[in-house]
Amino acid sequence: MTQIIRIFASMKHWIMKYPKSIFVSLVMCLLTAVAHGQPLEKGVPQKLAIQRASQVSNVEYALTFSIPAKKSEPVRGHATICFDWNGMGDVVLDFQGEHNQFDGKCTIVNKKNIEAKKVRRMETFAAFTNEHIIIRKQYLTVGVRNTIHLDFTSSDKSLNRNDEYMYTLFVPDHARSVFPCFDQPDMKATFKLTLEIPTDWKAISNGAAMSNVVENGRRTIEFSESDLLPTYLFSFTAGKFASMTADCNGRQVEALYRETDAKKIAQLPVVFDEIALSLKWLEEYTGISYPFQKYGFVVLPGYQFGGMEHPGAIQFNDKRIFLGEKPTPDEELSRLELIAHETSHMWFGDLVTMRWFNDVWTKEVFANFMASKIARERFPDINHDLNFLKTYQTLAMKTDRTLGTHSIQQPLANLNGAGLLYGNIIYDKAPVMMQKLEEHMGAVALQNGLRKYLSVYSYGNATWDDLITILDAVKPEAMLKEFSHVWVKEKGMPIIEVKATDKQITLTQKDPYGRGLIWPQKFTLVAGNEMERNRLVTVDMSERTFTISTKKHPTLLIPNYNGKGYGRFVIDRTYIHELTKRLLSTKNDLTRYAIALTLYENYLNGVYDKDYFTELFRTLKKERNPLVASALCDHMHQFAIDQEPRLRQRLEGFMLDIVKGSPLPSCRQNMLRLLAADATSTEVLDYLYRTWKLQDDALLNERDYINMSYHLAIMRPAEWANIISTQRGRLKNQDVIREYDYVSRACNPSLSEQRSLFHSLMLRQNRTVEPWVQNTLRLLSCQAREPQNNEFITPGLEVLEEIQQTGDIFFPANWVNALLSGHKSKEAKQLVNEFINTHSSYPKALKNKIMEAAYGVLRTKD
């Protein structure tokens, strides 16, 4: 009984989170399981995380890794793990060596030599079972520091080893594949790292390099002890890199990179400026100085994310940082927002970390929300309300309109499934929700609440409900718990039907899933007729219906005039026609974009005006706002690829006219890139070939010509080898050449070669550089190769569970998107439906990824 009381005392924050009866049952089950030697579940189950957080505290890691120059040779390491133990049961470490590579003979616990045996059930002193090392309690001591020494061989899973460099990427639970640890976000620790690397390599980590010695043909770098971090934020990168250091508001910031193009390297001062701006803005907003000992970053080729927020060692995707000579406004905004996003994480996610990964979205929502605010400082001339609508709301609706949508906060029983939580909902819908929450409670009140939140939970962990409790105390009349339930804990978006009579306009909010939910939000509506001036009305959808009195039946209705309404607005065809005609003449950029979005959503649901494409074309020919133009290009492209082949080819001719005649350089770029990805008409393909061959378009960059060569090689099979060899000969950077050699194999017109390449992707060892893999699969699965490539659909879906288990967090969604997004045939639709119908017990989160990716092919008419 004393032991039960002690475990309750040390698990206070979990007690607050769960009902007492559930909590007692959980603890008793855990103690019984450990006592009777029941095998532990693979991964990091939540019940183990709760138990461990109560047992172990004040964790410190001292890690040494020996990294050979040849990636075929294993990485070996030594871990010294120190912690306090409360005396409650055996202690479980996580370790997932590729072949259970744990050198148990070298294990020492508090100077007592023990051997960890690989067994299915716990042995006398220690056990290595189901990706866990279990240290028996008799080798641990209460009231003193417990120290465990472990020699191990790392799995390559999350070391991302290349010929000349490597980098670690441990989110959400991949640290355990590299070294033994407590791999959960609420067991923060300090890390002291030593790296033994080739002499011509450099390295970066969370701590500062304290010593750098070359001896016996090896370089040894010792890093200072890090700040308190969860395991997923510990990181190091090593390899052949160039470096640059700059002063950012009095702070020295180091950058490592492999880029060799002098014009791209010359962009680094802009990157440093945007880091300095982000740091300054966040310090002022939060009232907290930069909370970590250093700021550094590395720019990586073939990187599978946009960026990752390791304090002191942020990782960036090279394509997002080093832009072409003529970047579009979208690209420049995107780079700033990426830098601001990762910098915002230093406060939101790193200083205060979610307790469990079901709240991973809480760090992402603030990173994007703050990035949108920082962008206003950097680009004051841009319409940022429009940019927010385009950047976040549009992408959120892209998922929310599909059968694969889900709530912002999702359940998670085991960290080995945490990667499936990521996607447009947490990155894009969550900022939309946060904008509405800010409007709901006021900007100053939100800022004050966030400052308190960061102060109370500094260097610790918190849940979304913890934050809501603080915000609710700041502004109790906002009823934030009710707001949070609908926007955060339920899936989907409302259908907002707009009906008009001679006497009134009625907006009715409907829950597409029949739960009776109401999404509280405000937006503006414009209505008018030939007898009355247009009226601007603020619509408050805190109830199911909202009514506006009128004197006469309106001839004009713009239901989401300011773009602040989130949902699918359903209006009569009469108003669809009127909005279509008004697209070109609408002067306000934000309203023009909002109208375009309403028309597009209705088009996707089969309701559109016969002149829809024509009006898109007419508007684009005169469009001056690059953000609006970018969206209209996408809408025009989607309409074209939805049509039967002959009409599609005709419409591609109109799109080519935009390339040749738009007043906006960025519009010409965007449309040309869309055509270069999937054009089918002879006229357009001839234009693309001439453009590619001459390479004299100042608006295009090397990446554009690479992508163009892929599509041309597929569409001109007789010339494919010459196209590929010519483009390869133009490349100078070795990293780019390696990528091109990998991906361009998909352009081979031989069906047997395509089959062989596809089946090679089924093997894990051939999927090490995930962006290359998904680009290869996208080319193999392109629409131009239907129906022969339909044979890849079923096996490509069958391997998805393995991809989720072995790949990084975005890879399952990227894989299934590459597999399905190019398909439009009835046979492809049938194959997807057959897979779904015959896999009734398929993991729900993974099924959602399929349903989201299959949206386009499932729209195919039977």
Side-chain angles (χ1 to χ4, degrees):
M1 186 64 186
T2 302
Q3 290 180 328
I4 296 297
I5 293 171
R6 183 162 43 179
I7 198 169
F8 266 86
S10 59
M11 298 174 76
K12 181 179 179 181
H13 66 268
W14 291 103
I15 297 171
M16 297 298 292
K17 185 176 179 182
Y18 295 99
K20 187 173 181 180
S21 59
I22 295 176
F23 184 80
V24 172
S25 299
L26 177 60
V27 171
M28 294 306 297
C29 287
L30 284 167
L31 296 177
T32 302
V34 173
H36 290 85
Q38 294 179 13
L40 284 166
E41 181 183 345
K42 285 187 176 182
V44 184
Q46 188 177 22
K47 60 186 179 181
L48 172 62
I50 295 172
Q51 177 200 22
R52 255 191 331 213
S54 74
Q55 286 181 303
V56 175
S57 59
N58 301 321
V59 181
E60 298 175 344
Y61 297 93
L63 301 169
T64 299
F65 293 94
S66 180
I67 303 171
K70 295 181 179 179
K71 67 178 184 179
S72 58
E73 297 176 3
V75 171
R76 301 188 187 278
H78 179 84
T80 300
I81 308 173
C82 300
F83 57 88
D84 294 333
W85 175 64
N86 71 355
M88 290 298 299
D90 301 334
V91 169
V92 179
L93 290 165
D94 307 312
F95 187 62
Q96 190 189 30
E98 179 141 353
H99 299 292
N100 291 333
Q101 295 167 320
F102 167 56
D103 305 328
K105 294 179 182 178
C106 300
T107 301
I108 304 173
V109 180
N110 289 343
K111 300 182 180 179
K112 302 175 184 177
N113 293 329
I114 67 171
E115 179 179 355
K117 297 181 178 181
K118 184 172 67 177
V119 293
R120 291 185 178 180
R121 296 176 64 84
M122 288 184 271
E123 300 293 338
T124 305
F125 24 52
F128 181 28
T129 179
N130 278 353
E131 305 172 348
H132 300 290
I133 302 168
I134 306 170
I135 306 298
R136 288 296 196 186
K137 63 182 179 181
Q138 56 262 42
Y139 294 94
L140 303 171
T141 306
V142 177
V144 301
R145 296 290 283 165
N146 290 271
T147 302
I148 301 178
H149 299 274
L150 299 162
D151 289 319
F152 56 86
T153 302
S154 300
S155 163
D156 280 345
K157 175 179 178 178
S158 296
L159 290 174
N160 297 284
R161 301 178 71 186
N162 294 269
D163 290 333
E164 295 183 341
Y165 66 98
M166 56 79 61
Y167 59 92
T168 65
L169 191 54
F170 294 152
V171 64
D173 67 327
H174 296 167
R176 63 196 177 95
S177 72
V178 174
F179 63 96
C181 58
F182 302 108
D183 206 1
Q184 61 189 73
D186 63 341
M187 293 189 69
K188 288 191 172 183
T190 58
F191 296 82
K192 192 170 184 180
L193 173 68
T194 300
L195 292 179
E196 299 170 2
I197 57 178
T199 57
D200 56 349
W201 282 26
K202 297 179 180 178
I204 190 172
S205 186
N206 309 96
M210 303 298 289
S211 67
N212 192 329
V213 178
V214 175
E215 191 174 66
N216 299 324
R218 297 280 287 170
R219 181 182 300 278
T220 300
I221 304 177
E222 293 185 1
F223 294 89
S224 64
E225 186 175 79
S226 74
D227 302 284
L228 279 173
L229 300 172
T231 47
Y232 83 88
L233 289 177
F234 168 64
S235 180
F236 58 89
T237 298
K240 293 181 180 179
F241 289 95
S243 65
M244 183 182 294
T245 302
D247 183 284
C248 295
N249 299 333
R251 179 179 290 105
Q252 291 296 301
V253 175
E254 180 187 20
L256 298 186
Y257 58 92
R258 287 181 56 81
E259 182 57 63
T260 56
D261 185 332
K263 291 181 179 178
K264 290 185 177 180
I265 296 170
Q267 298 175 31
L268 279 173
V270 176
V271 175
F272 286 122
D273 286 347
E274 293 181 343
I275 289 170
L277 168 67
S278 299
L279 287 169
K280 182 175 182 292
W281 190 94
L282 284 156
E283 287 180 333
E284 292 175 353
Y285 183 88
T286 63
I288 298 174
S289 298
Y290 179 69
F292 297 97
Q293 59 185 271
K294 63 185 281 272
Y295 190 114
F297 66 94
V298 56
V299 185
L300 292 162
Y303 191 58
Q304 54 266 59
F305 297 1
M308 183 61 203
E309 66 268 20
H310 311 116
I314 294 172
Q315 294 165 347
F316 287 122
N317 183 307
D318 65 335
K319 295 182 180 69
R320 298 283 302 275
I321 295 296
F322 294 125
L323 308 181
E325 288 188 55
K326 302 285 185 179
T328 66
D330 276 355
E331 290 171 329
E332 291 181 316
L333 262 173
S334 176
R335 177 172 63 188
L336 177 276
E337 288 171 342
L338 172 63
I339 290 167
H341 175 107
E342 303 305 338
T343 305
S344 297
H345 272 312
M346 300 302 111
W347 286 262
F348 299 97
D350 295 3
L351 176 63
V352 179
T353 307
M354 64 278 168
R355 185 163 294 146
W356 186 243
F357 261 86
N358 66 323
D359 273 331
V360 64
W361 68 275
T362 59
K363 71 185 183 74
E364 302 303 339
V365 64
F366 286 114
N368 271 345
F369 191 61
M370 298 303 161
S372 71
K373 291 178 177 290
I374 293 168
R376 294 174 183 267
E377 299 283 327
R378 182 68 174 180
F379 298 102
D381 296 332
I382 285 178
N383 185 329
H384 286 280
D385 290 335
L386 169 56
N387 182 52
F388 190 93
L389 178 60
K390 180 182 184 298
T391 302
Y392 300 113
Q393 188 154 318
T394 301
L395 286 175
M397 293 173 68
K398 184 178 180 180
T399 297
D400 244 355
R401 72 169 71 103
T402 75
L403 294 176
T405 193
H406 53 80
S407 57
I408 293 176
Q409 186 185 69
Q410 303 167 73
L412 179 66
N414 192 312
L415 285 187
N416 61 14
L420 294 175
L421 305 183
Y422 290 79
N424 290 341
I425 295 299
I426 75 167
Y427 281 100
D428 301 300
K429 184 178 181 179
V432 172
M433 176 279 299
M434 187 55 61
Q435 183 188 64
K436 295 186 181 304
L437 187 148
E438 183 180 56
E439 293 169 355
H440 199 58
M441 68 179 297
V444 174
L446 175 62
Q447 183 180 7
N448 290 338
L450 290 177
R451 286 186 169 192
K452 183 175 181 180
Y453 164 78
L454 292 172
S455 175
V456 169
Y457 295 102
S458 184
Y459 298 103
N461 300 84
T463 67
W464 168 251
D465 289 341
D466 292 332
L467 173 58
I468 286 295
T469 297
I470 288 175
L471 297 180
D472 201 43
V474 172
K475 193 89 171 201
E477 63 271 24
M479 300 180 67
L480 295 180
K481 291 181 181 179
E482 292 80 359
F483 176 95
S484 171
H485 175 78
V486 174
W487 281 100
V488 173
K489 303 187 178 187
E490 298 286 353
K491 71 175 182 178
M493 64 179 178
I495 297 171
I496 302 174
E497 293 186 349
V498 186
K499 299 285 187 181
T501 67
D502 291 341
K503 295 183 178 181
Q504 64 183 28
I505 300 167
T506 303
L507 293 91
T508 304
Q509 188 173 169
K510 294 186 177 180
D511 178 355
Y513 297 98
R515 297 159 299 181
L517 296 179
I518 297 172
W519 286 260
Q521 58 178 318
K522 293 181 181 180
F523 52 87
T524 56
L525 173 146
V526 163
N529 55 54
E530 66 278 5
M531 299 296 293
E532 296 178 293
R533 293 180 58 186
N534 290 344
R535 294 172 58 196
L536 180 65
V537 181
T538 298
V539 177
D540 184 350
M541 294 301 298
S542 56
E543 301 292 339
R544 188 168 311 282
T545 61
F546 184 87
T547 303
I548 305 166
S549 298
T550 60
K551 296 180 180 179
K552 189 174 180 180
H553 196 290
T555 56
L556 170 67
L557 269 183
I558 305 177
N560 191 19
Y561 182 80
N562 63 353
K564 291 291 182 72
Y566 184 80
R568 180 161 66 89
F569 287 84
V570 178
I571 54 178
D572 292 340
R573 285 186 179 272
T574 303
Y575 296 119
I576 290 285
H577 175 76
E578 185 63 29
L579 287 182
T580 304
K581 293 299 183 184
R582 283 181 174 267
L583 188 59
L584 175 59
S585 62
T586 300
K587 303 301 182 184
N588 184 288
D589 293 342
L590 177 59
T591 301
R592 192 163 62 258
Y593 187 97
I595 290 173
L597 186 59
T598 296
L599 292 174
Y600 185 63
E601 284 298 312
N602 279 273
Y603 162 71
L604 292 176
N605 283 276
V607 181
Y608 60 95
D609 190 80
K610 61 181 179 61
D611 294 326
Y612 179 49
F613 185 89
T614 301
E615 292 304 318
L616 288 174
F617 174 74
R618 291 180 63 233
T619 304
L620 264 177
K621 291 283 282 186
K622 297 184 177 181
E623 184 58 60
R624 297 283 180 176
N625 186 298
L627 300 180
V628 177
S630 175
L632 295 181
C633 285
D634 290 339
H635 298 173
M636 197 172 181
H637 173 253
Q638 183 64 55
F639 186 94
I641 65 175
D642 283 345
Q643 309 309 310
E644 55 86 17
R646 285 182 297 179
L647 177 56
R648 172 178 175 172
Q649 290 178 13
R650 284 181 53 208
L651 298 180
E652 286 176 355
F654 288 96
M655 296 165 69
L656 184 58
D657 285 345
I658 298 296
V659 173
K660 296 176 179 178
S662 170
L664 275 177
S666 64
C667 182
R668 300 200 298 274
Q669 280 176 301
N670 287 331
M671 190 63 85
L672 186 56
R673 287 167 178 169
L674 290 169
L675 289 171
D678 56 21
T680 59
S681 77
T682 302
E683 176 192 10
V684 175
L685 289 171
D686 287 345
Y687 180 89
L688 292 173
Y689 185 81
R690 288 193 299 271
T691 301
W692 170 80
K693 190 172 184 178
L694 295 174
Q695 297 212 349
D696 60 354
D697 192 325
L699 294 177
L700 301 182
N701 57 43
E702 181 180 69
R703 182 59 50 182
D704 291 317
Y705 290 119
I706 287 172
N707 292 335
M708 208 175 284
S709 73
Y710 293 148
H711 185 60
L712 287 169
I714 289 172
M715 299 304 293
R716 296 189 169 195
E719 303 173 64
W720 87 273
N722 180 59
I723 291 171
I724 295 301
S725 63
T726 299
Q727 183 61 43
R728 189 186 190 280
R730 295 166 171 170
L731 306 177
K732 301 293 187 288
N733 184 285
Q734 289 302 309
D735 292 328
V736 176
I737 290 172
R738 281 193 286 269
E739 176 185 358
Y740 194 77
D741 287 344
Y742 184 99
V743 176
S744 61
R745 298 175 298 162
C747 300
N748 194 317
S750 166
L751 179 56
S752 63
E753 290 297 323
Q754 292 170 36
R755 285 171 172 161
S756 176
L757 178 57
F758 174 80
H759 289 297
S760 76
L761 299 183
M762 300 294 102
L763 303 177
R764 177 183 174 183
Q765 62 266 30
N766 296 327
R767 300 195 299 262
T768 54
V769 185
E770 292 172 0
W772 299 2
V773 175
Q774 63 205 46
N775 206 7
T776 303
L777 182 61
R778 180 184 62 81
L779 296 174
L780 289 172
S781 305
C782 69
Q783 189 179 2
R785 285 174 164 168
E786 273 195 316
Q788 69 183 33
N789 59 6
N790 286 343
E791 67 183 64
F792 300 150
I793 291 176
T794 300
L797 292 175
E798 293 284 1
V799 79
L800 191 57
E801 284 190 90
E802 180 197 326
I803 282 173
Q804 185 268 320
Q805 295 164 5
T806 59
D808 270 310
I809 56 178
F810 298 111
F811 195 35
N814 289 339
W815 171 275
V816 75
N817 272 297
L819 179 70
L820 298 179
S821 62
H823 286 283
K824 300 290 181 183
S825 67
K826 294 178 182 178
E827 181 189 8
K829 179 180 180 179
Q830 181 181 351
L831 289 169
V832 172
N833 280 326
E834 284 178 357
F835 181 87
I836 293 169
N837 293 335
T838 56
H839 291 73
S840 57
S841 60
Y842 203 69
K844 183 178 179 181
L846 205 54
K847 183 178 179 181
N848 283 341
K849 299 298 181 187
I850 296 174
M851 298 300 291
E852 180 181 351
Y855 178 77
V857 68
L858 294 179
R859 288 180 61 238
T860 301
K861 295 179 181 179
D862 294 324

